[in-house]
Amino acid sequence: MTGAFEVLVDDDRTQLEAFIEDYRIAIEATLDGVTEEQARRQLVPSATTLLGLLKHVTWMQRVWFEECIGGGTRVALGLVRNPAESFVVVDDDTIDGVIAAHRQACATARAVVAPLSLDAVVTGHRTGPRTVQWVYLQVLRELAHHCGHADILREQILAA
């Protein structure tokens, strides 16, 4: 995969995809070297944990790529209904399992979006049509936002 600093003068799509890939790698990396207990540790009043953040960004990408672009429904895709539910870590969740689910969601996202131009209008999201470029920007925004959360949680966990 090509990183964002390797595509400085490439086309918009190449740059967007490189930034998204960088953040996908970065959020997974926040789980490197932490224990299962640390990955589940709740340091804030919300359900936000390192493992929960990766579960959420996995869900988020499935919503935008598989629902919005691919046209699947949340029920048919086996997705929880809303963002709050996507952070919930259950007993069966493990670091390896959540990372595997994230990687599968990323692979599916790449495949779903590959044949479409940035200007293509997609209609699968319940709030209405939008362009593929808008979806890329939304996913990038969410990944960056949650990577920041994960970085802070990881720093607190490792400092303890």
Side-chain angles (χ1 to χ4, degrees), residues 3 6 13 28-29 33 36 60 63 65 74 82 85 102 113 123 137 140-141 158:
E6 298 167 5
R13 185 183 193 121
E28 281 188 19
E36 294 289 338
M60 173 273 298
V63 165
F65 291 108
R74 290 185 191 184
N82 60 58
E85 292 176 47
H102 180 249
V113 77
T123 60
L137 291 169
L140 179 60
R141 176 172 69 170
L158 296 179

Side-chain angles (χ1 to χ4, degrees), residues 40-97:
R40 295 167 173 275
R41 192 174 295 166
Q42 213 170 325
L43 300 171
V44 293
S46 71
T48 306
T49 64
L50 285 176
L51 200 57
L53 281 166
L54 187 57
K55 281 189 73 171
H56 170 71
V57 300
T58 300
W59 174 87
M60 173 273 298
Q61 291 182 81
R62 293 193 66 203
V63 165
W64 290 116
F65 291 108
E66 296 176 45
E67 178 185 1
C68 182
I69 294 176
T73 66
R74 290 185 191 184
V75 170
L77 295 168
L79 296 173
V80 296
R81 294 171 294 160
N82 60 58
E85 292 176 47
S86 71
F87 284 91
V88 175
V89 176
V90 297
D91 290 343
D92 292 344
D93 287 329
T94 64
I95 293 170
D96 289 343

